[in-house]
Amino acid sequence: NAGVMQNPRHLVRRRGQEARLRCSPMKGHSHVYWYRQLPEEGLKFMVYLQKENIIDESGMPKERFSAEFPKEGPSILRIQQVVRGDSAAYFCASSPGLPSDEQYFGPGTRLTVT
Amino acid sequence: RKEVEQDPGPFNVPEGATVAFNCTYSNSASQSFFWYRQDCRKEPKLLMSVYSSGNEDGRFTAQLNRASQYISLLIRDSKLSDSATYLCVVNDSGGSNYKLTFGKGTLLTVNP
């Protein structure tokens, strides 16, 4: 029973490039949440998605960040024109049938912007 | 006031010691409370939920005081494998039961 999968695990981008982070929820889970952990900080909620819908993006920076969860395939967190301050660990979590605080976390993607 | 505030740590204790972590939260409407552990450069993993009546899981005991908006975690007979960062997590219930708010964490190192 595979858990939440994220790839890549490590991603290095130069300033101005785009970063795409992928998340496949646990089998049977249809709710996906993205969190960001800046160095020396706690995880911060970014966005909550269901298939083909963004439910809550209140934690997303207003510019350069977007997320999707298409009908087929993984959820994608996209960061355009990355800056050094985007360097962080990005964690995806999923939950079954209903929006829930019972969330299972993936291993994260560590983004480094040089 | 920070939404979830924890002891800054770090805590360094010998094997077999008892160690306690404290946490306060600012949103009095929060409904659910958890302790997670996070190993270095890994994902957070749920350690235990915290209930108003207090709950115990083996060597781990969690307590919640809603009036004081205070949560605690007690680890007895600590093991080397308990070394990790312990995260206090609160459900930010302002209408959304899915938005978890994390503290910065307290680093615990258990020494042989």
Side-chain angles (χ1 to χ4, degrees), chain A residues 48-104:
Chain A
Y48 160 43
L49 310 105
Q50 294 177 20
K51 286 282 187 182
E52 300 184 278
N53 283 303
I54 298 174
I55 307 301
D56 181 350
E57 55 182 350
S58 58
M60 289 277 270
K62 294 286 184 280
E63 297 176 348
R64 302 186 297 107
F65 284 72
S66 62
E68 62 176 7
F69 189 15
K71 188 175 179 182
E72 301 290 337
S75 175
I76 306 283
L77 179 67
R78 182 183 178 206
I79 312 172
Q80 295 178 290
Q81 299 175 318
V82 295
V83 300
R84 288 228 172 100
D86 297 333
S87 295
Y90 292 82
F91 291 99
C92 166
S94 71
S95 67
L98 297 171
S100 170
D101 53 25
E102 182 187 342
Q103 298 174 15
Y104 299 82

Side-chain angles (χ1 to χ4, degrees), chain B residues 19-61:
Chain B
V19 60
F21 302 132
N22 302 314
C23 170
T24 56
Y25 60 95
S26 61
N27 185 354
S28 59
S30 297
Q31 296 293 323
S32 307
F33 310 90
F34 311 91
W35 283 101
Y36 277 69
R37 69 171 278 166
Q38 186 175 27
D39 292 285
C40 188
R41 304 183 75 78
K42 297 284 183 68
E43 73 272 25
K45 291 186 178 174
L46 179 64
L47 181 63
M48 57 196 304
S49 300
V50 187
Y51 304 116
S52 296
S53 53
N55 49 302
E56 188 173 311
D57 182 1
R59 297 181 293 108
F60 299 83
T61 300

